[in-house]
Amino acid sequence: MSDLRDLYQQTIIDHTRRPRNFRPMPDADHHARGHNPLCGDRLELYLKLSGDRITEATFTGAGCAISTASASMMTEAVKGRTIAEAQLLFEKFRILLTTPIHENVSLDGLDKLEVFGGVREYPVRVKCATLAWHTLEAALKRDDHEAKTE
Amino acid sequence: MIEAPTAAGTQSAAPPVWNAADVRRDFPILHHVDRPVAYLDNAATSQKPDAVIAATTRYYKSANANIHRGVYRLSVEATDAFEAARTKVAAFIGAPDRDELIFTGGCTESINLVAMTWGLENLRKGERIILTQMEHHSNIVPWQLLAQRTGAVIEVVPISAAGELDIGAYQQLLTQKAALVAVTHISNVLGTINPIAVMSKMAHEHGAKILVDGAQSVPHMPVDVKQLGCDFFAFAGHKMCGPTGIGGLWAPRGILEAMPPYQGGGDMISTVEFAGSTWNKIPHKFEAGTPNIAGAIGLGAAVDYLSHLDMRQVAHIEAQLLAYAEKQLQTIPGLRFVGAAADKASVISFTLDGIHPHDIGTILDQEHVAIRTGHHCCQPLMDFYHIPATARASLAFYNTPADIDALVNGLRRVIEVFA
């Protein structure tokens, strides 16, 4: 049995209590809503782009510790990255959460996001951690539909 | 005569003739698993006693045959066992006539059956279907589907902050073309026990029928459909120690005989010709195809088991446990109860300040405590309280104060993690 602290690392608790970039952005270039029907978590993501580079990312919403911290840390992580870089980061993040052994895949560049590695032991919580990222994908596609984890 | 205790335990009752420790050994999962769990998710499904597991196994091992068909001995035995289960289940809910008890796949199917037969036949455009703010999705969505097809209109009885129905508002709604009331007997989130007998009388005074969702009441208190005075009573087997995939619908003979069939198929017909068919008598008219024979037999065994325990004692023991749990939970800082009805069953919904219910659930799981977290299939009720979810501990007669202590200690751990 894994230790609870593997899941609820101090960084995650910190981001849950004081989410970064937690505000609406009225002049956002891209915007999408995310919803996890399983637990009712909802978030709204706002992006500003310069060319294909994300210059600002903010969010609002209500969710569990994992989904809130994930959204908070994602907005920090994607700021300054190109769309392609952000997508690659999501791909690595997803592998971190779902693949037990990832020696064949380089997860370099995840940096702080590696604190979510503990989620791997809690399969029902993976969707909490990926909600913000699914919403990011929807926002970048200018998809007006709600991003869902189900 | 022993007076039946209310679920809130406000009336005195005879001292219990058994306690949780005695009955726990009847439930293999409570002591056979590697990691014993304080199982506090009984409103989702109950655990199964040996007697139920044995009854379904016995059917498959020694009496398996289709029913109502064969002339051979095995089929006759299977038919007898299936119909004996019907008699037991009907008696358990106080049905005056065993033929008024229809076996369904569960409470959800029972409600859908009424919507798609009685509802389609009887509801007219503009007539009202009265629901309440505390209904489970399974007692909302079938009526929405029916409303879409008939033009009937859904109205909702509001509740107080404590989680009790506004009976004055109900009275008002009944005066406006009310055709059907569909209400839960006990809320699966709040534990509120609704005053069904009064509500039935009021509905009938206005010419409306009333359907009662008994999924949470049959497992936890004595239920008598005659005393409730309702027109339809739906319930689930798996929440009352029975197998999954079996449930019941009760309605008086007159209503059932006037209703069109639900599904078409074998067993529900009397004669079949291409020019047209005629229907079997009740209850078979509503049981097309091979039913869940093992499930029905298992449910019959569950009813035997619960009858042996005596539902008055079950209610009494659960009321004591509820009082203990509420007292202990009050010591947790930041814990807020959701639902504080005067007449309440052993369901405790709560939130912890600043901590999402899903995080509570995950951490409690690590502490070997199983509770439910989420919207509990009651999104309109969550909206009423302006919360996305609650944590819910729901108790059964086989739970012990030690299970409650595990919950309380687990919640202290939750607070530590987030400190």
Side-chain angles (χ1 to χ4, degrees):
Chain A
M1 188 50 59
S2 62
D3 189 85
L4 268 178
R5 277 291 167 208
D6 293 343
L7 179 64
Y8 293 104
Q9 298 211 17
Q10 209 50 51
T11 313
I12 291 176
I13 301 286
D14 177 56
H15 275 264
T16 295
R17 293 172 135 198
R18 297 185 301 114
R20 319 299 196 268
N21 305 310
F22 189 72
R23 58 182 182 275
M25 195 195 302
D27 56 343
D29 299 320
H30 294 245
H31 165 246
R33 288 190 185 86
H35 180 211
N36 182 344
L38 177 74
C39 55
D41 286 0
R42 286 180 184 278
L43 71 84
E44 294 203 32
L45 184 71
Y46 307 85
L47 300 174
K48 206 174 269 183
L49 271 77
S50 170
D52 72 342
R53 195 169 291 278
I54 299 165
T55 56
E56 228 178 308
T58 69
F59 78 105
T60 58
C64 67
I66 305 300
S67 81
T68 304
S70 177
S72 171
M73 293 178 72
M74 181 192 78
T75 57
E76 286 190 324
V78 298
K79 195 171 160 180
R81 291 188 197 256
T82 63
I83 292 172
E85 285 167 352
Q87 283 166 341
L88 181 64
L89 200 59
F90 182 21
E91 203 38 57
K92 288 182 175 178
F93 188 64
R94 208 198 310 251
I95 292 166
L96 172 78
L97 298 179
T98 55
T99 312
I101 300 160
H102 38 75
E103 44 199 30
N104 298 328
V105 190
S106 162
L107 295 181
D108 290 352
L110 279 175
D111 300 329
K112 280 192 202 168
L113 296 177
E114 286 193 28
V115 297
F116 289 96
V119 175
R120 199 187 300 124
E121 301 299 322
Y122 301 82
V124 294
R125 304 302 298 274
V126 168
K127 285 170 180 171
C128 308
T130 54
L131 175 62
W133 292 88
H134 283 292
T135 312
L136 175 71
E137 268 191 334
L140 290 172
K141 280 185 203 150
R142 287 190 178 278
D143 188 346
D144 287 337
H145 288 90
E146 200 172 60
K148 286 201 168 92
T149 55
E150 296 294 304
Chain B
M1 185 182 149
I2 301 166
E3 206 171 15
T6 67
T10 48
Q11 288 172 313
S12 63
V17 293
W18 48 267
N19 60 38
D22 297 329
V23 296
R24 285 178 75 81
R25 63 178 84 98
D26 299 336
F27 291 81
I29 205 169
L30 297 179
H31 51 89
H32 282 178
V33 290
D34 298 340
R35 195 188 89 161
V37 169
Y39 184 77
L40 299 173
D41 195 17
N42 295 286
T45 196
S46 68
Q47 296 302 343
K48 320 302 176 200
D50 277 318
V52 169
I53 299 165
T56 53
T57 304
R58 199 181 314 121
Y59 163 70
Y60 281 127
K61 278 191 168 177
S62 62
N64 181 60
N66 213 326
I67 56 168
H68 302 142
R69 287 162 176 75
V71 293
Y72 52 93
R73 189 178 53 84
L74 213 50
S75 173
V76 172
E77 281 173 9
T79 303
D80 287 350
F82 180 78
E83 291 300 333
R86 189 192 310 277
T87 305
K88 290 175 194 176
V89 176
F92 189 69
I93 60 163
D97 178 346
R98 66 177 299 283
D99 291 341
E100 295 171 344
L101 194 280
I102 298 160
F103 280 127
T104 65
C107 195
T108 298
E109 188 179 22
S110 298
I111 296 170
N112 277 277
L113 188 160
V114 176
M116 288 301 126
T117 58
W118 183 88
L120 276 181
E121 184 93 344
N122 289 283
L123 280 187
R124 298 287 168 269
K125 190 169 191 271
E127 287 186 333
R128 302 298 201 267
I129 302 168
I130 301 177
L131 310 179
T132 84
Q133 188 75 42
M134 67 174 82
E135 296 311 312
H136 189 281
H137 295 165
S138 62
N139 202 22
I140 299 174
V141 182
W143 308 118
Q144 289 176 327
L145 294 173
L146 176 63
Q148 279 169 12
R149 289 175 66 169
T150 58
V153 178
I154 288 173
E155 299 281 2
V156 180
V157 181
I159 60 172
S160 67
E164 292 175 324
L165 292 178
D166 181 340
I167 296 297
Y170 173 58
Q171 171 71 38
Q172 273 306 110
L173 287 172
L174 282 171
T175 62
Q176 293 150 23
K177 291 191 185 174
L180 177 74
V181 177
V183 58
T184 190
H185 196 174
I186 294 181
S187 161
N188 67 311
V189 175
L190 308 168
T192 309
I193 303 174
N194 288 318
I196 299 297
V198 174
M199 293 178 76
S200 295
K201 191 161 173 286
M202 290 169 71
H204 292 156
E205 280 165 8
H206 292 85
K209 295 275 186 278
I210 178 167
L211 174 141
V212 175
D213 170 355
Q216 301 294 341
S217 61
V218 181
H220 300 290
M221 63 195 281
V223 166
D224 184 312
V225 291
K226 293 187 302 297
Q227 282 176 14
L228 293 175
C230 58
D231 301 292
F232 302 100
F233 189 85
F235 58 101
H238 71 95
K239 293 185 200 287
M240 52 188 285
C241 297
T244 53
I246 187 79
L249 172 69
W250 172 84
R253 177 177 283 276
I255 290 180
L256 289 176
E257 286 180 341
M259 273 160 59
Y262 175 45
Q263 295 177 327
D267 222 27
M268 55 76 69
I269 47 82
S270 176
T271 60
V272 176
E273 293 172 17
F274 284 113
S277 301
T278 57
W279 316 135
N280 201 340
K281 58 188 193 312
I282 66 164
H284 311 296
K285 181 169 88 174
F286 298 100
E287 295 177 356
T290 299
N292 183 353
I293 305 168
I297 291 169
L299 182 56
V303 158
D304 281 342
Y305 181 78
L306 292 173
S307 301
H308 176 68
L309 294 181
D310 190 335
M311 289 310 291
R312 293 169 301 185
Q313 299 290 356
V314 166
H316 180 81
I317 279 180
E318 291 179 356
Q320 285 181 326
L321 201 60
L322 174 67
Y324 178 75
E326 287 183 335
K327 183 162 156 271
Q328 297 306 111
L329 288 169
Q330 274 162 10
T331 66
I332 302 287
L335 185 144
R336 293 167 201 266
F337 292 109
V338 179
D343 204 6
K344 191 174 179 300
S346 56
V347 177
I348 307 166
S349 270
F350 60 91
T351 59
L352 281 183
D353 287 350
I355 305 176
H356 193 279
H358 275 98
D359 298 312
I360 299 174
T362 294
I363 298 170
L364 287 179
D365 180 50
Q366 295 290 296
E367 304 293 313
H368 304 189
V369 177
I371 63 158
R372 176 81 182 271
T373 58
H375 53 58
H376 317 290
C377 297
C378 289
Q379 287 182 16
L381 186 60
M382 298 295 113
D383 292 344
F384 172 79
Y385 285 108
H386 302 293
I387 48 179
T390 75
R392 179 189 72 185
S394 50
L395 318 175
F397 57 86
Y398 45 71
N399 287 126
T400 61
D403 291 334
I404 305 300
D405 295 342
L407 169 66
V408 170
N409 291 334
L411 289 172
R412 294 196 193 286
R413 177 87 178 106
V414 171
I415 290 166
E416 258 171 51
V417 169
F418 280 83

